[in-house]
Amino acid sequence: GENVEQHPSTLSVQEGDSAVIKCTYSDSASNYFPWYKQELGKGPQLIIDIRSNVGEKKDQRIAVTLNKTAKHFSLHITETQPEDSAVYFCAATSYNQGGKLIFGQGTELSVKP
Amino acid sequence: NAGVTQTPKFQVLKTGQSMTLQCAQDMNHNSMYWYRQDPGMGLRLIYYSASEGTTDKGEVPNGYNVSRLNKREFSLRLESAAPSQTSVYFCASRQGWGTEAFFGQGTRLTVV
């Protein structure tokens, strides 16, 4: 089955700097890769996703890149702000996996003012 | 619009007791999920239901059972709780592959 590895587990940056979180997946059939943000005491919420037919997707300060050959994808946050502080999760799934959605271990991002 | 509703929000059980965590969604989603979240372990899939009438094991199904009662409701049962099941449990739903998953607020379960 699918296995998703996420790094780093914690990340501390200064406000205004960029942050990068990386994930690798094991199942070459995976073709949908969402990223979720979890604020303290809440459930995760989708912030951006990418499908395997594109290599990059951007939404304002957030971007995701996908390398299918290497089976890894990354989240890039530019011009970080204190409100970006949260736990971020990557996930992977494929249509053939019958709906199974597997998450990485999470990255706790801290943005220092 | 309530989204995904989990009950209860908090629960303390004694070892060996049983309980059912309830989850309901009002978005007419086909797929529903149960995850547990432990420090450093991320979100681990316990069971999921790709559509009404089907359930499948996830990454960590041992010690749990599920019931997809109807399209709206997906319950998680602990038959004989163990301290290792102390965790925060999240229910999620989505329409299908390639769509956004919506999560409930979580149930914090402590087994003593």
Side-chain angles (χ1 to χ4, degrees):
Chain A
E2 177 64 274
N3 183 48
V4 179
E5 297 286 334
Q6 182 173 346
H7 298 280
S9 56
T10 61
L11 180 60
S12 181
V13 300
Q14 287 295 131
E15 182 177 0
D17 288 349
S18 295
V20 180
I21 302 170
K22 298 182 179 182
C23 289
T24 60
Y25 60 98
S26 61
D27 190 346
S28 58
S30 287
N31 50 12
Y32 175 66
F33 307 93
W35 285 88
Y36 285 79
K37 176 183 181 181
Q38 184 181 30
E39 297 177 340
L40 198 62
K42 297 184 178 181
Q45 284 190 298
L46 180 74
I47 55 171
I48 195 168
D49 58 12
I50 191 168
R51 289 169 173 74
S52 59
N53 58 345
V54 299
E56 184 174 358
K57 184 177 179 180
K58 193 172 182 180
D59 183 5
Q60 298 182 350
R61 296 186 297 109
I62 294 173
V64 57
T65 59
L66 172 65
N67 183 327
K68 286 190 294 182
T69 303
K71 288 190 284 187
H72 69 70
F73 56 113
S74 299
L75 178 71
H76 304 254
I77 306 174
T78 59
E79 301 172 18
T80 53
Q81 301 167 4
E83 52 265 38
D84 294 330
S85 295
V87 179
Y88 291 81
F89 292 98
C90 62
T93 186
S94 80
Y95 185 80
N96 296 333
Q97 288 167 8
K100 188 182 287 189
L101 184 61
I102 301 298
F103 284 83
Q105 294 85 353
T107 296
E108 184 173 2
L109 173 64
S110 175
V111 181
K112 300 186 185 307
Chain B
N1 191 353
V4 179
T5 302
Q6 291 182 235
T7 55
K9 288 185 171 50
F10 301 93
Q11 184 71 48
V12 179
L13 286 180
K14 293 182 179 179
T15 297
Q17 287 186 320
S18 63
M19 81 161 293
T20 299
L21 280 64
Q22 306 286 354
C23 175
Q25 51 94 5
D26 62 2
M27 296 171 282
N28 201 37
H29 285 168
N30 290 316
S31 303
M32 297 186 74
Y33 305 81
W34 277 106
Y35 292 90
R36 59 177 291 173
Q37 183 174 18
D38 304 289
M41 305 291 285
L43 292 161
R44 292 184 292 170
L45 181 64
I46 305 171
Y47 271 93
Y48 68 105
S49 171
S51 60
E52 186 179 1
T54 69
T55 59
D56 285 287
K57 295 179 180 179
E59 302 169 280
V60 289
N62 291 346
Y64 305 94
N65 284 299
V66 290
S67 295
R68 183 74 184 265
L69 305 169
N70 47 56
K71 193 169 187 180
R72 288 187 64 247
E73 299 171 289
F74 189 39
S75 63
L76 178 71
R77 183 160 178 84
L78 287 71
E79 290 291 351
S80 179
S84 61
Q85 293 177 306
T86 293
S87 188
V88 179
Y89 291 85
F90 285 98
C91 176
S93 73
R94 63 175 180 163
Q95 184 59 31
W97 175 87
T99 62
E100 178 178 359
F102 292 84
F103 284 79
Q105 290 287 83
T107 294
R108 185 173 294 275
L109 175 67
T110 302
V111 183
V112 297

